[in-house]
């Protein structure tokens, strides 16, 4: 039998060891808290370059009302907006997968692939322009483009689309409710306005917004390290504002041809494909980084599947900077803080429970 003194000695040892472990854990927590505060101080120099996501995305030329938003929600999911009924807006901009289809390029009404990656519709209403080349001013104008595009929705004309909807009694009523002042509510312009009004509801506030509003506990220490690296490396030059992007155009491939880094098989001229101007060669709209952890694959052609790889490529070809693996991990962690939640009610296809 073990002696009493042995048992007491063992118990005391366990107590002292436990206390030591608690003290070490507390010291570690205090150290992390101190580090976190130091990073907050360092980040204060940069936070003015960003802004919390606005609560509303208002277009005074297209004032919203509940009936218009409801109609836009239905149109967004309706495959009758494509010629053969194969596609809806949600096909390429799936709201269950953060407003994208996670494909490099998307199949259209006849199965033909587009030549550019489908960007997310989430928060798109706050972008300064739409499409990779900025050819549409807002989401209302953008909504009308794919419908008439032969590779996308393949509708032959505006009048064809209007007539198709006029033959559906439920839509006759819905358009009348959404546009009560108009003698002919079903028009191509009103289709665009309804979809635009709906897309203006697709805002996804995230933890970064809480941080920018003053909640310093909203980000982890690693995320703060990543945010600092993001700024020190120079990513904030293009990815700034409330959307961390979406507000300017930049040449993709400042220090080297982008396709050498991305492995792109098709060299896209960007805006120059429209203007044929040398200064516009390889110029694209800077994408938003909100929800970027979910909107893979990346770049205008969906040529890169992995976010860490995309981050390294951007630092290399845009900033001539070779990131360390630790920097990449931290920046990717920071980008997680830009992930919000898609409004749950809009992830539901309203046509499934309607008489449409």
């Amino acid at each position: 039998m073990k002696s009493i003194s042995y048992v007491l000695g063992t118990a005391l040892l366990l107590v002292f060891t436990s206390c030591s472990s608690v003290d070490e854990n507390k010291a570690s927590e205090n150290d992390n808290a101190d580090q976190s505060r130091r990073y907050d101080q360092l980040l204060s120099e940069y936070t003015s370059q960003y802004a919390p996501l606005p609560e509303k995305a208002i277009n005074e030329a297209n004032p919203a009302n509940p009936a218009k938003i409801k109609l836009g929600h239905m149109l967004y999911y309706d495959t009758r907006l494509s010629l053969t009924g194969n596609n809806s807006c949600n096909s390429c901009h799936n709201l269950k997968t953060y407003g994208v289809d996670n494909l490099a390029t998307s199949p259209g009404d006849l199965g033909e692939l587009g030549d550019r990656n489908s960007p997310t519709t989430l928060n798109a209403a706050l972008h300064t322009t739409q499409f990779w080349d900025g050819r549409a001013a807002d989401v209302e104008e953008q909504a009308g483009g794919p419908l008439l595009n032969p590779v996308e929705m393949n509708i032959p004309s505006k009048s064809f689309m209007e007539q198709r909807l006029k033959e559906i009694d439920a839509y006759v009523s819905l358009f009348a409710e959404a546009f009560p002042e108009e003698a002919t509510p079903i028009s191509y312009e009103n289709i665009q306005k309804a979809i635009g009004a709906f897309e203006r509801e697709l805002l996804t506030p995230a933890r970064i917004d809480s941080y920018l509003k003053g909640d310093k506990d909203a980000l982890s220490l690693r995320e703060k390290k990543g945010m600092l690296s993001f700024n020190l490396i120079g990513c904030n030059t293009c990815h700034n504002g409330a959307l961390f992007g979406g507000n300017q155009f930049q040449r993709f491939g400042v220090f080297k041809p982008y396709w050498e880094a991305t492995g792109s098989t098709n060299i896209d001229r960007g805006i120059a494909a429209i203007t044929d101007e040398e200064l516009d060669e390889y110029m694209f709209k800077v994408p938003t980084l909100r929800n970027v952890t979910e909107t893979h694959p990346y770049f205008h052609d969906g040529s890169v599947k992995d976010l860490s790889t995309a981050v390294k490529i951007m630092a290399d070809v845009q900033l001539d900077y070779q990131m360390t693996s630790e920097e990449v991990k931290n920046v990717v962690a920071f980008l997680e803080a830009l992930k919000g939640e898609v409004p749950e009610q809009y992830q539901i296809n309203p046509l499934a429970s309607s008489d449409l």
Side-chain angles (χ1 to χ4, degrees):
M1 180 179 291
K2 291 184 174 68
S3 68
I4 293 175
S5 60
Y6 175 86
V7 174
L8 287 173
T10 302
L12 287 171
L13 179 62
L14 288 172
V15 169
F16 287 132
T17 302
S18 175
C19 289
S20 175
S21 176
V22 169
D23 289 342
E24 287 175 6
N25 288 339
K26 188 160 187 174
S28 178
E29 288 175 7
N30 289 337
D31 183 54
N32 282 344
D34 289 340
Q35 282 193 60
S36 188
R37 283 191 291 271
R38 286 197 293 272
Y39 274 96
D40 290 333
Q41 292 171 351
L42 293 169
L43 286 169
S44 64
E45 180 180 343
Y46 301 102
T47 50
S48 62
Q49 298 177 33
Y50 310 104
L53 194 72
E55 293 184 5
K56 298 287 185 181
I58 297 170
N59 179 1
E60 293 182 359
N62 182 29
N65 61 56
K68 191 184 294 185
I69 294 167
K70 176 184 177 181
L71 172 60
H73 187 187
M74 290 184 167
L75 291 170
Y76 190 93
Y77 279 87
D78 199 333
T79 58
R80 285 169 291 194
L81 268 63
S82 67
L83 181 60
T84 65
N86 288 329
N87 284 49
S88 69
C89 302
N90 196 66
S91 299
C92 301
H93 304 285
N94 192 329
L95 297 183
K96 287 187 176 180
T97 53
Y98 281 82
V100 300
D101 57 9
N102 297 125
L103 299 174
T105 58
S106 305
D109 185 57
L110 299 178
E112 184 179 353
L113 294 176
D115 55 4
R116 287 179 179 161
N117 179 257
S118 297
T120 180
T121 47
L122 302 181
N123 308 302
L126 296 170
H127 289 214
T128 52
T129 58
Q130 304 297 316
F131 294 113
W132 284 100
D133 52 22
R135 64 185 182 274
D138 51 35
V139 289
E140 286 81 6
E141 183 180 356
Q142 186 280 329
L147 301 189
L148 301 179
N149 187 311
V151 177
E152 297 182 62
M153 306 294 260
N154 200 28
I155 295 296
S157 67
K158 293 181 180 181
S159 59
F160 179 96
M161 187 75 264
E162 292 168 351
Q163 186 56 39
R164 176 177 278 188
L165 296 184
K166 285 177 181 178
E167 293 171 0
I168 303 170
D169 290 341
Y171 270 132
V172 173
S173 298
L174 287 165
F175 272 89
E177 291 172 18
F179 301 95
E181 305 298 323
E182 300 193 21
T184 309
I186 297 182
S187 67
Y188 197 81
E189 182 180 6
N190 285 348
I191 294 170
Q192 293 175 259
K193 285 183 175 181
I195 295 173
F198 170 65
E199 291 190 4
R200 290 180 180 279
E201 297 293 302
L202 302 178
L203 305 183
T204 60
R207 285 186 293 115
I208 187 61
D209 299 300
S210 298
Y211 185 80
L212 293 173
K213 290 176 181 178
D215 180 4
K216 301 308 179 186
D217 294 328
L219 301 187
S220 69
L221 177 57
R222 180 178 283 277
E223 289 166 345
K224 292 176 183 180
K225 289 179 179 179
M227 188 174 183
L228 185 62
S229 291
F230 182 88
N231 287 279
L232 291 175
I233 291 168
C235 309
N236 58 329
T237 304
C238 301
H239 295 283
N240 49 49
L243 298 182
F244 291 78
N247 58 7
Q248 60 177 292
F249 294 86
Q250 290 290 341
R251 176 168 285 103
F252 188 18
V254 175
F255 287 94
K256 65 176 65 171
Y258 75 79
W259 53 88
E260 292 183 2
T262 62
S264 301
T265 54
N266 176 48
I267 299 175
D268 191 325
R269 298 177 64 205
I271 297 176
I274 298 173
T275 66
D276 205 29
E277 295 287 340
E278 185 177 352
L279 289 176
D280 291 334
E281 291 284 357
Y282 318 124
M283 295 284 285
F284 297 91
K285 188 180 76 173
V286 176
T288 176
L289 294 183
R290 285 187 178 269
N291 303 306
V292 70
T293 56
E294 310 303 314
T295 57
H296 52 86
Y298 302 106
F299 305 129
H300 65 275
D301 55 1
S303 53
V304 175
K305 295 180 180 179
D306 176 66
L307 181 56
S308 296
T309 302
V311 167
K312 289 182 69 174
I313 287 173
M314 288 300 291
D316 180 21
V317 305
Q318 299 301 102
L319 301 165
D320 196 26
Y321 182 82
Q322 303 301 314
M323 295 180 71
T324 67
S325 59
E326 188 67 13
E327 285 174 324
V328 172
K329 287 179 183 177
N330 289 343
V331 168
V332 170
F334 161 62
L335 295 176
E336 287 279 357
L338 276 60
K339 176 183 172 182
E341 296 298 327
V342 183
E344 191 171 339
Q345 70 270 31
Y346 296 140
Q347 296 182 45
I348 299 169
N349 181 351
L351 302 178
S353 57
S354 76
D355 58 0
L356 280 166

